[in-house]
Amino acid sequence: MFVDDNSEKSLIRELKEGSYRAFNSIYELYSRRLFAYCLSFSKSREIAEEIVQDVFVRLWTCRENIRQDETLCSLLFVMSRNKLINSYKARINSPMFEDYVYCNTISFEDKGFRKIEFDEFENYVKRKIEELPTTQRRIIEMSRIRQMNNKEIAKELGLSEQTVKNQMSLGLKTLRKELSRHSYLLLLLLLVN
């Protein structure tokens, strides 16, 4: 869907007034791009769809407070970036991913659309997880990747819930330390592309 600048200004004005038609038009205008953007980072259709849905729900509920008058592009992409960061933090608690998304978003917003190879970053994280002691590795994979809770992990591994909590805490602490120690890898990725 193509909308010229005047039409988008009109849509924003109508959206602020509560127009469902304007909201649907804005959704048609940006939803696919936001989905592609979120998918490129999350590598998960479900997470990308959820983030896009959350962004548009927030846009509707806060429509009266929108300050942009010409375009919603930067607002929607910043909202998506923040949701991506929160999603990833919930899975691995990695400050490097926040830097990665932020740096890539800057280039995206600047229309450079430079693509940083997230696969390299993801493989690095996976290697660091593989280097953890077996129990810590298994607990982190079950918790963060398979989305199991502590009780389910404890039952499957034959451990107490407290042991699961302790081992997860130790494993995540090690990962955070390793990832922050090697944050130069992220800079290299940015410079290479």
Side-chain angles (χ1 to χ4, degrees), residues 125-142:
V125 172
K126 286 179 181 176
R127 280 194 313 274
K128 290 301 166 191
I129 290 172
E130 288 295 321
E131 292 173 8
L132 292 172
T134 305
T135 304
Q136 291 176 14
R137 177 182 46 78
R138 290 180 69 196
I139 289 172
I140 287 173
E141 287 171 347
M142 295 167 92

Side-chain angles (χ1 to χ4, degrees), residues 162-190:
Q162 188 59 48
T163 300
V164 169
K165 288 179 190 176
N166 293 344
Q167 291 297 307
M168 185 168 339
S169 178
L170 289 170
L172 290 174
K173 182 178 178 182
T174 301
L175 284 175
R176 280 191 296 270
K177 184 177 176 184
E178 280 297 314
L179 293 175
S180 66
R181 182 183 303 160
H182 297 287
S183 60
Y184 67 88
L185 287 176
L186 179 61
L187 293 174
L188 287 175
L189 285 174
L190 290 171

